[in-house]
Amino acid sequence: ELYYNGPTNTGNAGLLPEEAVTVEGGIRMEYKGIQGNVALFNRSGKNLIDWGRTSDTLKWQSMNLTSLHTTGIESGLSADIRKLTGNPSAFFHEIYFSFYYADAAKSSGIYISKYVLDYLHLQLGIGMTHRIAGPLSARWNFRFQDRAGTYTEYPSGNEMPYQPFFITDAGIRVTLKHTDLSLDISNLFDTEYMDLGNIPMPGRWVRGTFILKL
């Protein structure tokens, strides 16, 4: 941002440091096999550094462009079913839920902001682990995400909004006396999505793990 000059960007050696005040408060609880938390936060930033321009035909210029006020909430809840019920052979081992929401208001005048407003707006997560048979268990994670802001599409150069996406991760595990074997699959259904910038995120990803306990 200070010194880089390129075909579409112009640096600015006179940038000032960013400033922000953040306030956060929350509660946390634990009871037998249940854990939960919820927190509220507010962040007020000024002199935020961003690339800005007044039209699509001009270069991006780094500047202390934006004042940004962000408020949100994040929470989580998990339950260890075996501990909660006192049944070590229960079908469900653990169930968990997470929620995140944030909203932001900016002030950047007539300038088009490049990335400061590309913040995580909403994320929902649900997961569980459960028994299959004997030492074999399975894990499932489901995540919905919606990011605010836009990105510059390549090669068209058009500003495109981020699209919400839904991702499923899965895994199986075998736990024996001296060994652990696991197979994990991220993005099980090979969903195409972009999380930040004009960069496609990985598709289906398979990993295997072998652990020997000495």
Side-chain angles (χ1 to χ4, degrees), residues 102-176:
D103 194 23
K106 74 160 186 172
S107 174
S108 58
I110 62 174
Y111 292 97
I112 302 171
S113 172
K114 187 173 185 179
Y115 63 77
V116 162
L117 276 186
D118 295 352
Y119 64 92
L120 184 59
H121 176 58
L122 174 65
Q123 186 177 84
L124 294 171
I126 298 176
M128 66 190 73
T129 58
H130 63 84
R131 177 176 52 85
I132 298 178
L136 186 63
S137 62
R139 175 188 59 82
W140 300 89
N141 288 318
F142 307 97
R143 175 166 55 99
F144 173 82
Q145 180 172 309
D146 185 15
R147 182 175 292 278
T150 62
Y151 65 93
T152 305
E153 186 182 45
Y154 180 84
S156 70
N158 296 327
E159 287 295 307
M160 303 294 293
Y162 287 100
Q163 297 300 316
F165 60 85
F166 182 83
I167 297 295
T168 300
D169 301 331
I172 57 175
R173 182 177 181 180
V174 179
T175 303
L176 302 174

Side-chain angles (χ1 to χ4, degrees), residues 22-25 39-43 70-74 100-103:
T22 301
V23 178
E24 180 176 345
L40 302 174
F41 60 88
N42 178 273
R43 183 177 188 271
T70 306
T71 57
I73 180 174
E74 56 183 339
Y100 176 93
Y101 174 84
D103 194 23

Side-chain angles (χ1 to χ4, degrees), residues 90-105:
F91 176 76
F92 285 106
H93 295 176
E94 185 180 14
I95 299 175
Y96 43 93
F97 167 82
S98 64
F99 173 78
Y100 176 93
Y101 174 84
D103 194 23

